[in-house]
Amino acid sequence: MNRRVLVAGGGIGGLACALSLGRAGVPVTVLEQAESFGEVGAGVQLGPNAVRVLSQWGLTDALQSCAAFPDALRVRDAGGGGLLGQLRLGPVALARYGQPYATVHRADLHAMLLGAVRARTPAELVLGARLQGMAPSASGVSVALEDGQALMGDALVGCDGVWSRVRAALLGDAPAAPTGHLAYRGLVPTRDLPPALRTPVVTAWLGPRLHVVHYPVRRGEAFNVVVVVQAAMREAALGPVDPRGWYHEAGHAELRALLGAAHADLLGMIEAVPQWSLWALHDRAPMAGPGEHASGRVALLGDAAHPMRPYLAQGAAMALEDAWTLGKLVDRHQHPIDWPGVFERYAALRWRRNARVQAQSRRNGSVFHATGLVRWGRNSAMALLRERLLDNPWLYGGPPKPEPQP
């Protein structure tokens, strides 16, 4: 190996990529545009597929120390409060899939990956490194930074999120599109909740043109709360939201007005959150082919390749799966590594699964926010099919293992 692999982005996807490649013996340089490592946002749901990846990286104990492991996923009606459906998690998920279902604060997951990268890999971590452009060639990839530095690597992996500069340079396509949905996010200490709301479960409240999800994080010491509404509901009264920024002035009165005549338990959870942030959600159409994942010596990972709506709770999981797959494809005995070949196999293995998750996430959003007859049909289907409608064996049994090279 003549040079390092360059990884653009030091978020969850970038650190997962650095860890996976580092475990395979590949030197990596992570280029993070911020001046310090950290994560914005709040909670992340990790299905058994994502927990399986972390386990194979030797992070089971680290996850146990910071995550919560809910007993169930419950779906309730936002207005009347009735139980629409339930999926058992906890020991049932462990028995069914060999791994549990976890919920974790995003900053804790990021810190866990950062610690593993620093302790277990030859990675170099560079802060304040904002990518300006890149130029791939037959022998490597040249990267220019905004401060005038130029770096050369054997390959480049774009892990720089929904507004990826690597993707823009590689594919030249349009930016991610607004979904028409807004997400209010908050975190509340469990001790500040009424006793009835401290149950260690993932709860999804479904209402017309909106839904709310809350679940425990930090070993159950806090609850992450997310309220997703259609943008038109808010914009009619308060105006548009900065599409690329966090809005920090959302208040309880605003949310109560949007939720309308919601159930008392739901309103109690909303009232308990001390501070809200607001984010406009963006995504892309489901991937149409492997060319959206990689070309030559440049690959895309996580949101840079397949930004998705949060209605299947798989955004972080797919980034972890991408990274795990990439590491599995590296032949540590091959010198130099054939990066175009590795990336070609990676793209072929990942794009269909990521496209399916993107498509299912979009469908779930329509179902969650349904009105009229569609809402009635949704509720009837949940009552009839029960856990079969909420479980996803094709998803939770992953990630698919790469076949050995002939």
Side-chain angles (χ1 to χ4, degrees):
M1 286 172 274
N2 299 321
R3 291 181 295 266
R4 291 171 172 260
V5 169
L6 305 176
V7 173
I12 289 171
L15 293 179
C17 180
L19 178 58
S20 187
L21 291 180
R23 285 170 50 84
V26 178
V28 171
T29 296
V30 177
L31 305 173
E32 167 55 40
Q33 66 178 356
E35 297 298 331
S36 62
F37 282 106
E39 270 290 330
V40 297
V44 175
Q45 297 184 59
L46 298 175
N49 53 313
V51 176
R52 185 170 295 110
V53 168
L54 297 174
S55 175
Q56 293 194 14
W57 286 341
L59 296 175
T60 296
D61 289 345
L63 183 66
Q64 291 277 353
S65 72
C66 68
F69 297 88
D71 296 331
L73 163 64
R74 293 177 182 166
V75 183
R76 298 179 65 179
D77 179 73
L83 183 67
L84 302 178
Q86 176 169 286
L87 174 65
R88 292 169 295 168
L89 300 174
V92 174
L94 181 61
R96 185 175 295 163
Y97 296 111
Q99 296 291 343
Y101 194 107
T103 50
V104 62
H105 194 286
R106 182 177 292 271
D108 294 339
L109 175 60
H110 186 270
M112 179 172 63
L113 293 170
L114 180 60
V117 168
R118 284 174 166 161
R120 307 181 192 182
T121 77
E124 177 187 9
L125 305 174
V126 182
L127 294 168
R130 188 172 179 83
L131 185 141
Q132 184 176 57
M134 63 97 177
S137 68
S139 59
V141 182
S142 174
V143 167
L145 303 182
E146 285 190 348
D147 64 5
Q149 291 188 70
L151 304 173
M152 190 72 182
D154 279 343
L156 170 65
V157 186
C159 307
D160 47 344
V162 67
W163 309 114
S164 171
R165 292 192 171 193
V166 177
R167 181 188 181 110
L170 180 67
L171 301 179
D173 55 3
T179 63
H181 294 175
L182 304 175
Y184 294 80
R185 303 174 188 267
L187 194 71
V188 56
T190 303
R191 64 177 181 271
D192 293 343
L193 292 172
L197 298 178
R198 299 175 187 174
T199 308
V201 300
V202 179
T203 303
W205 301 83
L206 308 187
R209 295 176 292 279
L210 62 87
H211 78 282
V212 181
V213 178
H214 54 75
Y215 49 82
V217 295
R218 293 188 163 159
R219 302 165 301 278
E221 296 168 8
F223 269 71
N224 179 64
V225 188
V226 182
V227 181
V228 180
V229 303
Q230 294 186 13
M233 295 171 64
R234 181 190 184 277
E235 291 174 0
L238 298 169
V241 175
D242 177 4
R244 298 198 183 196
W246 288 83
Y247 175 87
H248 294 284
E249 298 179 4
H252 296 95
E254 179 177 327
L255 278 167
R256 283 198 305 271
L258 292 171
L259 290 172
H263 188 266
D265 285 351
L266 174 53
L267 291 177
M269 179 65 75
I270 299 300
E271 289 290 344
V273 176
Q275 184 177 356
W276 294 95
S277 59
L278 179 58
W279 194 17
L281 300 178
H282 291 72
D283 75 345
R284 293 182 180 276
M287 301 184 82
E292 294 182 40
H293 243 318
S295 178
R297 291 178 176 267
V298 182
L300 301 174
L301 183 151
D303 282 351
H306 43 74
M308 59 188 66
R309 303 183 187 191
Y311 310 132
L312 196 54
Q314 283 288 311
M318 288 302 103
L320 294 174
E321 285 195 11
D322 284 352
W324 177 86
T325 302
L326 199 51
K328 287 292 185 182
L329 293 173
V330 172
D331 182 354
R332 62 174 62 238
H333 302 295
Q334 183 186 63
H335 300 288
I337 292 174
D338 174 19
W339 287 109
V342 169
F343 287 166
E344 183 179 11
R345 291 188 67 205
Y346 160 75
L349 283 166
R350 291 300 302 162
W351 80 267
R352 288 184 179 86
R353 181 169 170 86
N354 284 319
R356 182 176 182 182
V357 173
Q358 286 177 293
Q360 184 64 54
S361 298
R362 284 189 166 192
R363 285 194 294 271
N364 280 5
S366 298
V367 171
F368 288 0
H369 293 193
T371 61
L373 289 177
V374 176
R375 182 185 181 194
W376 177 87
R378 175 199 69 199
N379 295 352
S380 299
M382 284 189 178
L384 177 65
L385 299 176
R386 300 181 183 273
E387 287 198 343
R388 285 177 292 167
L389 193 64
L390 296 174
D391 201 4
N392 292 288
W394 65 271
L395 180 60
Y396 297 148
K401 295 179 180 179
E403 294 293 330
Q405 241 182 332

